[in-house]
Amino acid sequence: MKRSRETAASELFVALYPRLAGWCRRLVDDDETAHEIASEAFTRLWARWTSVSEPRGFLYVTAANIVRDHWRRLERERRAVHRASTEAALTPQPEQADPSVRLLVQALPERLRVPILLHYYADMPIREVAALTGRKEGTIKADLHAARELLRAHLRRSLDHSL
């Protein structure tokens, strides 16, 4: 039993790790961090191996959560550096609007962010996103539409302010 568990886990790792790490790389824009996130997702899967019915979905949802935590940590660090530099400066500089799609996706509410990450960044079909999130396909389609509209509006606003 233990041998087959290890063999199955090893085969899953070989089959999914490169794509998961690549997906994480697109989200965090750093090879080392992407590999750390993908590895952590596999570690968490291994810890729950016997209770996970859909390992691929578990990996992507777990990685998306780790990426979200990474983005939050970076944002906290950015704010701390900004506060420190503002306090040190004689005249504070206004913060530039950042129309980065990654930051805009990060700012979406979780019910919109997760489908965007799974559908567009992990290339999962809507049917699979619905199954992984426990929601109906129509709801996922509506959430994807709402997320695209929010992103479009934020990008327009950001671009209008930068001109």
Side-chain angles (χ1 to χ4, degrees):
M1 178 72 168
K2 184 177 182 185
R3 193 72 186 110
S4 63
R5 176 182 179 222
E6 289 177 3
T7 301
S10 178
E11 289 170 357
L12 186 72
F13 184 84
V14 169
L16 297 181
Y17 183 84
R19 188 167 182 167
L20 180 66
W23 178 68
C24 292
R25 168 70 173 86
R26 286 185 290 182
L27 295 174
V28 299
D29 199 28
D30 178 65
D31 284 332
E32 186 176 334
T33 303
H35 284 285
E36 288 174 8
I37 291 169
S39 297
E40 178 63 21
F42 269 96
T43 300
R44 292 181 187 183
L45 173 63
W46 181 252
R48 294 168 184 80
W49 185 255
T50 57
S51 64
V52 173
S53 60
E54 177 52 53
R56 181 175 182 254
F58 179 89
L59 287 168
Y60 277 92
V61 170
T62 300
N65 289 335
I66 297 170
V67 165
R68 181 199 62 224
D69 293 344
H70 171 76
W71 286 345
R72 285 179 177 165
R73 187 172 47 258
L74 289 178
E75 182 61 22
R76 284 191 304 270
E77 290 170 1
R78 187 195 65 75
R79 275 192 244 129
V81 167
H82 179 71
R83 272 193 310 272
S85 62
T86 300
E87 291 169 3
L90 293 174
T91 56
Q93 298 296 319
E95 191 174 321
Q96 295 295 322
D98 185 356
S100 164
V101 174
R102 180 183 63 80
L103 292 175
L104 294 175
V105 169
Q106 173 188 349
L108 288 172
E110 185 170 357
R111 79 174 177 80
L112 301 178
R113 183 179 57 248
V114 170
I116 287 284
L117 291 175
L118 294 175
H119 183 66
Y120 290 108
Y121 288 87
D123 297 324
M124 289 186 184
I126 289 173
R127 168 186 36 77
E128 195 169 344
V129 174
L132 290 173
T133 59
R135 300 190 331 226
K136 295 181 180 180
E137 287 184 37
T139 303
I140 296 300
K141 290 177 184 178
D143 287 348
L144 289 170
H145 175 75
R148 287 190 305 267
E149 290 301 313
L150 277 172
L151 292 171
R152 187 176 293 121
H154 285 300
L155 281 170
R156 277 195 191 117
R157 241 187 332 273
S158 294
L159 291 173
D160 288 346
H161 290 296
S162 66
L163 297 177

